[in-house]
Amino acid sequence: MTEESRPAERADATGRGTKPPAMVAENLKEQLYATLTVMAVTLGLTRAEHLSHGSAALAVTATALGLWLATVIADQQAHNVVYGALARGAELRRLLYVSGPLLGCALTPLLLIGLSALGALSLTAALYTSTWLGAAALFVWGCAGGLRMGASRLAAVVVGLLDLGVGAVVVVIKLASGH
C-alpha cells in the first residue's frame, strides 16, 4: 500500500483529525506488548539484590527505549524494503504514533520509582505496584474489548480475566527466559 493509498486521518466534528481504526488497533497492540514487557522487567527487578532507585529507573528506561528503537528501526527497514524509501511525512507520523506507547509504558514505573526515591514507598513496593497496575490495564483492556464486541458485562469480565491470565503466562515466560 502506498502512502497515498493508506487511510488518512479523518476530521471529526471539531475539525481535529481522528485516527483510522487500524492505526488505533496497531497503537493498542504496541501498548499491550509494552505493558507485558515492562511488567516482566519490574517484576524481575523485585528479585534483584541491592537494587538502587537509579538502576531500577535505568532498567525500565532502557527497556522502553530499546523496544521503541527496535520497532522504529524494523518499521523503517520494512518500509524501505517494500517501498524503496524510508517512511516520511504522514507515513512517518503513523509509525511514530503506533510506536509511541513503547516509550509511554515507562511512565508509570518511573513515577513510582521516583515516589519511592522520595520515601513515599519502598522500591520493592513501587515495582510490585507498577506490575499490578500493568495487570489491571490488561484486565480493563480485555473488558473493554469484550464490551466493544457486544458481550454482556459478565462475559466482558471473563474476557478481561482471560486477558489477565494470558498476560500472566507471558510474564512468567519472559521471567523464566531471563527477561
Side-chain angles (χ1 to χ4, degrees):
M1 186 181 308
T2 65
E3 201 169 314
E4 293 78 31
S5 65
R6 282 200 180 269
E9 285 190 22
R10 299 176 297 255
D12 64 10
T14 65
R16 290 180 281 178
T18 59
K19 308 288 185 218
M23 191 185 307
V24 174
E26 286 182 70
N27 179 278
L28 181 57
K29 174 195 69 162
E30 295 297 344
Q31 180 70 45
L32 292 165
Y33 175 70
T35 298
L36 290 167
T37 302
V38 170
M39 284 173 62
V41 169
T42 55
L43 194 57
L45 288 171
T46 63
R47 301 186 306 183
E49 291 184 34
H50 311 294
L51 181 67
S52 70
H53 292 92
S55 60
L58 181 61
V60 169
T61 301
T63 298
L65 189 57
L67 283 171
W68 181 76
L69 283 173
T71 299
V72 168
I73 290 167
D75 282 352
Q76 279 288 22
Q77 184 63 31
H79 193 277
N80 190 27
V81 168
V82 172
Y83 301 112
L86 294 175
R88 290 189 200 106
E91 191 61 25
L92 180 59
R93 285 190 299 277
R94 183 203 65 77
L95 183 156
L96 294 173
Y97 169 77
V98 167
S99 65
L102 296 170
L103 289 172
C105 70
L107 295 177
T108 298
L110 289 174
L111 175 66
L112 290 166
I113 292 167
L115 288 172
S116 173
L118 295 173
L121 67 165
S122 72
L123 181 54
T124 301
L127 295 170
Y128 276 125
T129 301
S130 176
T131 303
W132 281 108
L133 288 173
L138 293 176
F139 173 75
V140 168
W141 285 322
C143 288
L147 290 172
R148 180 97 169 129
M149 292 178 2
S152 68
R153 287 186 180 150
L154 179 61
V157 168
V158 170
V159 171
L161 290 172
L162 288 172
D163 278 7
L164 185 58
V166 169
V169 169
V170 170
V171 168
V172 167
I173 290 170
K174 283 182 170 286
L175 286 172
S177 66
H179 286 97

